[in-house]
Amino acid sequence: MGPFRRPALLFATLAVLSQPWTALPASAQSSVPAEPWFGLPLPPGFLPHAAPVIIGPRVIPATVPAGEGGSPELEAAQIFEDLGAIVDFSRDSRLRREVGDGQLWGRITGFPSSARTIEWATQKFREAEIERVELQSFQQSGNASLWLPLLWEVRLLGDPAFGPGSADVVLESAMPLSPSEIPGGTLTASLIYVGNATPAELEGVDVSGKVVLQTVIPQGHMVFERGPTVSRAQDLMDRGAVAVLNAVHLPGNERSRDFSNCGGPCFNLGGRDGFFLEKLLSEATEAGVADRVRVSLTLRAQAFSGLEAVNGIAVIPGSASEEAIVLNAHADAWFDGAGDNGDGLAVLVALARHFAAPENRLERTLVFVASAGHHTPGLNGPGNFIAMNPDLARNAVLVINIEHVAQRNISPARSVFPDGYREYIAGSGEAPIVAGVTNRSPFIEEVLQEGVARYGVNLVSEGSAMSSGETGGYGPLGVARVTVMQAPPLYHTSGEVLDVVSAPGLERAARFFAYFLKEMSGAPAELINP
C-alpha cells in the first residue's frame, strides 16, 4: 500500500449455503403465478444526481426590505451559481472514482474532493479582496480511521416459485453502513421480514441464520432514527441474524448514508427497493413459498487512516474592535451534498463578499471558516481551527454555524407509481429550520425573531439550545454559539441534488444572516453572553 497507514482491505466472502433448488411441493404448484415476481412491477434502477421528488416552478420569492436593495452578492442567482460549482466537486469525485468504483461519492474530508472545494472557497475570499486568507492543513489524529465501502451489491435471487422468468434483481439503491464487514466475501441466505422489529412483531419469529428486513419510517430528519434503528438492528444480530436490511421509507429510490454500528453487515435500501421487497415477501407468504426468498450480499470496504485535510480561513478586521464573530460552514458532504452543506457554504461565501466591501465593514472582526467538516473521524474542522488560530479563538465573542439552510420542503403527492409507491412533491418554500442558541441569550433570540419577520426565513416556532453538527467543535471557546440548521428527510442521501435547493431560499438566508451579523456586531458583549 506504500508509505500510508491503511488497514488491510476488508473484502471477504461469507457463504451461508442455501438449500438447493428443488421442485415445488404439490401444495404450492397450483399457486405459481403466471408472471415473474408475482406480477409485481420491478423497482427502478438507481439514478445518480436525480431528484427523487417532483420539482415544480412555484417558489416564494425572497423578501428585500426597503433600503436593502443592491448587493448583488446576496441575490439568488449569484449564490445558486456558486452552489452549482460546489456540487460539481462532488460529481467530479464520482467521475474520478475517488472512492472504489464510484458507488459512493461526495466531498469527503481527507480526499481530493474536499480539498478542492475548500481551495475554491479560499479563492473566492481572495477575489473579494480580503487580505488575510489562509489554507491551513492538519493531519488525522491518533488512531482514527474512516470506513468507506468500495464495492457492493444486494441481489434478490430469482426462483420459478415466484413466477416463470423471475430472474435475479439487483437492488441498486442499497448502501452499506459503517463498519460492516462480510468475512469471506459474499453472504447468501434466506430473507425474512419483521416490520418495525418491535418485541411484539418478533415474538415467536426465528431470525437465526437469516438476512432480516426491517422498516424504517423517518419522522423528519434521518438523525432522529439513528438510535431506534441501530438498536433494533443490534437486537436482530443478537438473535442470530446474519445481516440486516433497512427499508428506509424515503422518496424515490435513493441511497442513504445514515446509521452505523448495527452489530454486523447492514445495508440501507431506498424507498422503492424496500417497498418492493415488503410486497414480495407478503406475496410469497400468501403463496406458501416465503422460505424460498433469498438474497446475496457482497461487500468490499476499507478503513482509511493517515489522511490530511484543510480549512479555509478569511479574516475581515473590525472597524472598531478586535473582538471576533466566527462564521462557519462545513464543506464536506456525502453524494451531491447540495443541501448538506453546499447551500451553507455558498451562503458563507456570499457573506464574505458582502462584508469585504468597505461600505459594509462591521465594528467587530469577522472570521469566515470554510471547515473541512466533521464526517471523517480525526479530522474535525472546528477543533483544528481553534488549535491553529489561538489569537482569533481568544477574541471570539460569538460563533455562527450555517448548516443546511435552503432545501425545499417536500410532502407526499396525490400521484402514485405503478407499484403503489406514493410520490413526493417539493413545496414552494423551504423546509423548517431550527435555530439553536447555546446560552439562550434573550437578545439573540429577539434578533432571530426579527429576522423571521423581515426576511421570511422558515425558523421553527420554538427556541432551542441545540448545538448539532459543526457547533460542538467550538465548545471550548466558551461563548454563545448559534446553529441554523434544517432537518429535511433528504439529508445524507443521494437525493440532495441541486434541484431540491430553493434559489430564493439561498437569498433569504444570506440577507437574514447579513442583518443578524450587523445586529450582533454593534451589540454590547454582555447582551450576547449574559
Side-chain angles (χ1 to χ4, degrees):
M1 286 278 183
F4 300 103
R5 294 184 289 116
R6 294 178 176 175
L9 218 56
L10 304 175
F11 182 38
T13 302
L14 168 196
V16 178
L17 295 179
S18 60
Q19 57 186 350
W21 285 23
T22 60
L24 293 178
S27 60
Q29 289 178 8
S30 61
S31 61
V32 174
E35 298 178 88
W37 296 108
F38 298 100
L40 297 173
L42 295 181
F46 173 73
L47 295 175
H49 319 309
V53 300
I54 301 169
I55 306 291
R58 295 175 183 165
V59 293
I60 300 172
T63 299
V64 182
E68 292 189 23
S71 303
E73 68 278 0
L74 299 181
E75 293 177 357
Q78 176 63 68
I79 306 174
F80 197 77
E81 180 180 332
D82 285 343
L83 176 57
I86 293 166
V87 170
D88 281 345
F89 289 111
S90 285
R91 295 187 173 193
D92 187 60
S93 77
R94 176 173 169 267
L95 295 175
R96 291 170 182 261
R97 301 292 192 264
E98 192 172 271
V99 177
D101 197 37
Q103 288 177 281
L104 174 65
W105 67 93
R107 303 183 296 275
I108 302 174
T109 301
F111 287 78
S113 54
S114 176
R116 284 195 292 266
T117 307
I118 293 173
E119 288 164 5
W120 170 88
T122 56
Q123 180 59 31
K124 295 302 176 185
F125 295 154
R126 293 188 180 98
E127 290 172 3
E129 300 183 356
I130 299 174
E131 291 187 9
R132 182 178 173 182
V133 177
E134 300 176 22
L135 274 173
Q136 299 181 342
S137 301
F138 48 94
Q139 300 292 320
Q140 197 169 20
S141 61
N143 296 320
S145 64
L146 172 65
W147 179 95
L148 293 175
L150 305 182
L151 186 68
W152 66 89
E153 182 183 82
V154 173
R155 177 180 292 265
L156 176 65
L157 301 181
D159 190 309
F162 314 138
S166 296
D168 291 2
V169 176
V170 175
L171 303 172
E172 296 181 11
S173 70
M175 184 72 219
L177 305 180
S178 175
S180 293
E181 178 182 357
I182 299 180
T186 297
L187 181 162
T188 302
S190 296
L191 179 68
I192 186 173
Y193 180 47
V194 295
N196 295 309
T198 63
E201 289 167 306
L202 291 174
E203 180 67 25
V205 176
D206 181 12
V207 301
S208 182
K210 298 179 177 67
V211 175
V212 180
L213 177 71
Q214 67 164 335
T215 294
V216 179
I217 304 176
Q219 301 295 307
H221 205 305
M222 287 273 281
V223 71
F224 302 145
E225 310 307 322
R226 287 177 181 170
T229 298
V230 171
S231 177
R232 294 196 306 262
Q234 291 173 346
D235 178 57
L236 291 166
M237 294 292 184
D238 290 342
R239 292 169 181 260
V242 294
V244 172
L245 304 180
N246 301 313
V248 185
H249 284 217
L250 283 173
N253 208 34
E254 53 192 323
R255 290 179 186 153
S256 54
R257 180 69 171 58
D258 227 310
F259 313 141
S260 59
N261 299 308
C262 293
C266 197
F267 293 73
N268 282 346
L269 296 177
R272 297 286 296 282
D273 278 344
F275 188 70
F276 172 73
L277 282 187
E278 291 169 2
K279 294 190 73 172
L280 167 66
L281 285 161
S282 292
E283 294 284 349
T285 299
E286 279 195 34
V289 292
D291 59 334
R292 298 179 73 97
V293 180
R294 303 177 306 146
V295 291
S296 176
L297 314 179
T298 302
L299 173 64
R300 180 161 60 97
Q302 182 173 332
F304 293 85
S305 59
L307 299 173
E308 181 177 324
V310 293
N311 283 333
I313 311 297
V315 181
I316 300 177
S319 62
S321 175
E322 291 186 356
E323 290 183 340
I325 299 174
V326 179
L327 288 92
N328 179 92
H330 73 84
D332 60 336
W334 302 116
F335 306 109
D336 283 22
D340 178 15
N341 185 39
D343 60 3
L345 182 60
V347 168
L348 181 84
V349 169
L351 293 169
R353 285 195 187 103
H354 180 72
F355 288 108
E359 64 271 21
N360 295 327
R361 292 288 175 96
L362 299 181
E363 293 93 332
R364 287 191 167 101
T365 294
L366 296 181
V367 182
F368 296 86
V369 182
S371 165
H374 58 281
H375 294 152
T376 297
L379 288 173
N380 183 270
N384 281 282
F385 164 79
I386 292 173
M388 300 176 74
N389 300 277
D391 58 326
L392 299 174
R394 183 172 54 252
N395 290 327
V397 296
L398 174 66
V399 175
I400 302 171
N401 178 36
I402 306 173
E403 197 162 350
H404 339 153
V405 292
Q407 193 170 134
R408 292 177 69 167
N409 202 20
I410 65 172
S411 57
R414 293 182 63 185
S415 55
V416 296
F417 293 104
D419 61 2
Y421 193 82
R422 187 168 298 280
E423 291 190 278
Y424 278 69
I425 189 167
S428 57
E430 293 78 59
I433 304 172
V434 177
V437 181
T438 55
N439 66 357
R440 300 305 300 269
S441 158
F443 170 71
I444 295 177
E445 294 282 4
E446 181 181 349
V447 175
L448 288 172
Q449 182 57 35
E450 291 171 358
V452 170
R454 290 175 67 89
Y455 303 100
V457 288
N458 191 22
L459 301 189
V460 298
S461 60
E462 186 178 31
S464 168
M466 179 270 294
S467 60
S468 297
E470 292 279 273
T471 315
Y474 288 101
L477 296 180
V479 299
R481 290 167 288 146
V482 176
T483 301
V484 180
M485 177 187 288
Q486 283 181 326
L490 300 181
Y491 155 92
H492 283 187
T493 74
S494 61
E496 267 197 319
V497 299
L498 195 60
D499 287 344
V500 303
V501 173
S502 162
L506 292 168
E507 180 172 347
R508 239 186 301 281
R511 293 189 181 278
F512 162 76
F513 281 115
Y515 169 78
F516 185 78
L517 282 167
K518 291 175 187 176
E519 296 299 306
M520 293 300 110
S521 181
E526 57 268 23
L527 288 181
I528 298 172
N529 292 287

